[in-house]
Amino acid sequence: MPAAVNPAYFTGISPAGAAMLQRLIHHPHAPRFRNQSGHRLLPNELNQLDGYIRKALIQSIASPYTSLGMVPDFLNKLLKDTQEQVPAFAGALPVEFAEIPTTCRADLSRDFTRYVPQPLPLERLICFSTSGTTGHPLTIPSYPMVAARYQAFHRRALAHFGIVPCAKQGEVAVALVGSQARCFTYASINPLQAEAGLVKLNLNEADWHHPADRSRYLDDLAPELITGDPISLMALADLPLQHQPKAILSTSMQMLDGTRQYLERRFACPVLDIYSMNEAGPIAVFDPMLGGHVLLQPELWVEIVDEAGRLLPLGERGEITLSGGFNPWLPLRRYRTGDYAAMALVGQMPVLMGLSGRPPVRFCTVDGCWINNVDISQALQHFMLQQFSLHQAHDGSLRLQIVGDIDLLALRQQMTHLLGNWPLNIETRPALGEKIIQYTSDFLAETCRV
């Protein structure tokens, strides 16, 4: 095993696994890895994880919109266990599930330890911090098995499009790419894929000995899958990379159709837009044929609720609210995500339609009519924007911040078509941050008619 690798991260590693780490770390075009990480799974946990993934791939999705008023067994167990074991949820439960009070990010931010079940072991607990746009940074409790379960739902997302990962010993399974001033980078292996390689990379030139090493390294590794966010994936597309992965997974940020379609052409492979959050992991994947996000977790109860926490009917837009999940150290109970969508059924398959972060925002046209931010998102879909945010000032003027090299005249014309000839300031930026509030307005409602 390479001297720079902590053996505690790779219990039971084989000579082939050690050779893979050696290759990833000491490759002639390798980056300067800033950190160390590994699966940290015990031998008995590998079989458990394999069984968990197999089950997750075939289970049907439980939903309040298809359950005919019945609460599934996993949710009844969650309610009983959290009432008995989680300090924040102690006390009598209402008769009806819909009467249970909702929780939100601010609750977890105040003291996340009150939401961790008391009987669970803490010896191998992993805590990581996540920033937020709401003023509520979080500490998320996790465990090696929990981190490993992410791949179950990434595989389910891939399977939805007929893609089956098959990287094996001696090959590289996944490259996770970032594009930041500084980010966590490491080399690892996946014990469920015969110790196939895994790397977390930063495309920032400062992390490499030579800028050309970025594409040379990735071309030689030829990872089966590449994951990232719209910003890092567009940075990847700018490199003279020849490798064509089996699929690309985009997480963390909303991906517009124009960006997705460009990346599919550039890399000649499917690009999956996965709706994910640190508190719950991968929640849904966008299906272009359905025009919405298909749910991924069989034991995550997804409701669309109004401001009072009442379940909304199909087709009505509200806040996405979660119960259950795959992290026993952070069981969610009617957890408001701060993201908004409407629920539709395709057959018996629940699909999130018009997904967007933060509450709906209305914008006033120069003619005095309201339009919803969803209409703006749809109108901007075909532009190759990696990120954007729109603000309407109290006087009606507009400020549109964008990340992406696009036709600014065409963008201005589209915005004028939507909102009229308000003063419009378009600002191009290298990035807007990992989490942004996409739509805001200070416009006074009384000056605009419906």
Side-chain angles (χ1 to χ4, degrees):
M1 185 181 297
V5 172
N6 187 338
Y9 292 159
F10 304 100
T11 306
I13 189 172
S14 73
M20 173 55 71
L21 288 175
Q22 178 77 21
R23 178 190 174 199
L24 297 175
I25 295 170
H26 298 293
H27 189 284
H29 301 296
R32 300 180 181 93
F33 286 107
R34 306 288 186 185
N35 311 93
Q36 293 187 40
S37 187
H39 57 77
R40 305 189 190 193
L41 295 169
L42 303 178
N44 65 304
E45 292 174 326
L46 293 177
N47 286 334
Q48 296 173 21
L49 178 61
D50 184 58
Y52 182 90
I53 292 174
R54 292 176 185 274
K55 182 179 178 182
L57 287 173
I58 61 174
Q59 277 183 291
S60 59
I61 299 291
S63 168
Y65 298 94
T66 58
S67 66
L68 301 177
M70 301 294 291
V71 175
D73 291 342
F74 83 83
L75 201 53
N76 281 320
K77 184 177 186 306
L78 171 87
L79 296 178
K80 179 177 182 297
D81 290 347
T82 54
Q83 181 187 23
E84 295 173 353
Q85 302 171 4
V86 177
F89 295 142
L93 282 168
V95 175
E96 298 295 330
F97 179 82
E99 295 174 358
I100 296 173
T102 59
T103 55
C104 65
R105 187 182 181 100
D107 298 321
L108 297 183
S109 181
R110 276 191 289 271
D111 184 3
F112 79 92
T113 63
R114 297 186 66 248
Y115 293 85
V116 178
Q118 292 182 333
L120 292 179
L122 303 178
E123 295 81 9
R124 297 160 63 214
L125 190 69
I126 304 167
C127 291
F128 59 93
S129 299
T130 171
S131 61
T133 57
T134 59
H136 302 295
L138 286 184
T139 298
I140 304 292
S142 186
Y143 224 65
M145 178 67 85
V146 174
R149 285 177 176 177
Y150 267 71
Q151 62 187 299
F153 306 105
H154 287 161
R155 290 192 189 186
R156 182 163 180 139
L158 291 163
H160 181 78
F161 298 95
I163 303 166
V164 180
C166 55
K168 55 186 184 295
Q169 189 176 92
E171 299 176 341
V172 176
V174 182
L176 301 89
V177 299
S179 183
Q180 301 168 230
R182 189 172 184 86
C183 70
F184 196 87
T185 58
Y186 59 89
S188 186
I189 53 174
N190 186 342
L192 288 189
Q193 288 187 273
E195 298 177 320
L198 179 154
V199 286
K200 173 70 168 66
L201 307 172
N202 187 7
L203 297 181
N204 188 320
E205 291 183 5
D207 276 35
W208 300 79
H209 299 282
H210 190 279
D213 285 340
R214 296 172 295 177
S215 54
R216 291 169 180 165
Y217 185 67
L218 284 166
D219 274 334
D220 190 60
L221 296 189
E224 183 177 33
L225 302 173
I226 294 177
T227 76
D229 58 53
I231 291 177
S232 64
L233 294 173
M234 289 298 287
L236 184 70
D238 287 339
L239 300 179
L241 189 70
Q242 299 300 309
H243 172 60
Q244 295 179 352
K246 181 176 285 188
I248 291 173
L249 285 70
S250 176
T251 63
S252 302
M253 304 174 188
Q254 179 186 14
M255 173 173 276
L256 298 183
D257 278 351
T259 301
R260 178 180 57 80
Q261 291 165 5
Y262 169 78
L263 291 170
E264 288 181 336
R265 293 192 301 270
R266 167 65 178 84
F267 292 106
C269 73
V271 175
L272 280 60
D273 174 21
I274 295 180
Y275 168 45
S276 181
M277 60 191 307
N278 288 307
E279 301 95 309
I283 298 169
V285 61
F286 183 73
D287 185 331
M289 298 297 291
L290 301 178
H293 286 73
V294 176
L295 300 183
L296 293 173
Q297 294 189 38
E299 296 191 354
L300 185 67
W301 191 250
V302 181
E303 302 175 89
I304 306 297
V305 304
D306 64 12
E307 291 183 359
R310 294 181 294 252
L311 181 69
L312 292 172
L314 288 168
E316 195 165 331
R317 191 172 182 79
E319 188 170 1
I320 300 169
T321 302
L322 309 175
S323 298
F326 63 87
N327 183 356
W329 280 261
L330 188 64
L332 302 175
R333 202 168 89 172
R334 303 206 79 206
Y335 181 74
R336 290 180 176 271
T337 63
D339 299 321
Y340 288 74
M343 188 71 78
L345 290 180
V346 179
Q348 290 296 298
M349 181 169 58
V351 180
L352 294 171
M353 308 298 290
L355 173 64
S356 66
R358 318 283 22 117
V361 177
R362 295 190 304 172
F363 290 85
C364 190
T365 70
V366 75
D367 296 328
C369 298
W370 289 114
I371 66 169
N372 195 291
N373 63 277
V374 176
D375 299 316
I376 297 171
S377 291
Q378 291 173 347
L380 298 183
Q381 281 288 349
H382 71 278
F383 288 99
M384 216 162 58
L385 292 172
Q386 300 159 46
Q387 287 183 296
F388 71 91
S389 69
L390 178 66
H391 176 74
Q392 186 166 38
H394 62 86
D395 61 358
S397 62
L398 300 161
R399 180 191 185 198
L400 178 61
Q401 298 182 86
I402 66 168
V403 179
D405 184 13
I406 66 166
D407 184 339
L408 294 180
L409 177 59
L411 177 61
R412 182 175 293 276
Q413 289 172 340
Q414 180 70 284
M415 293 299 296
T416 300
H417 176 72
L418 280 172
L419 292 162
N421 199 29
W422 286 119
L424 171 61
N425 181 27
I426 300 178
E427 303 174 7
T428 58
R429 298 289 187 87
L432 296 179
E434 182 179 341
K435 295 186 178 183
I436 58 171
I437 299 178
Q438 200 160 41
Y439 295 105
T440 55
S441 177
D442 294 328
F443 197 82
L444 299 176
E446 58 265 25
T447 63
C448 190
R449 69 174 189 272
V450 177

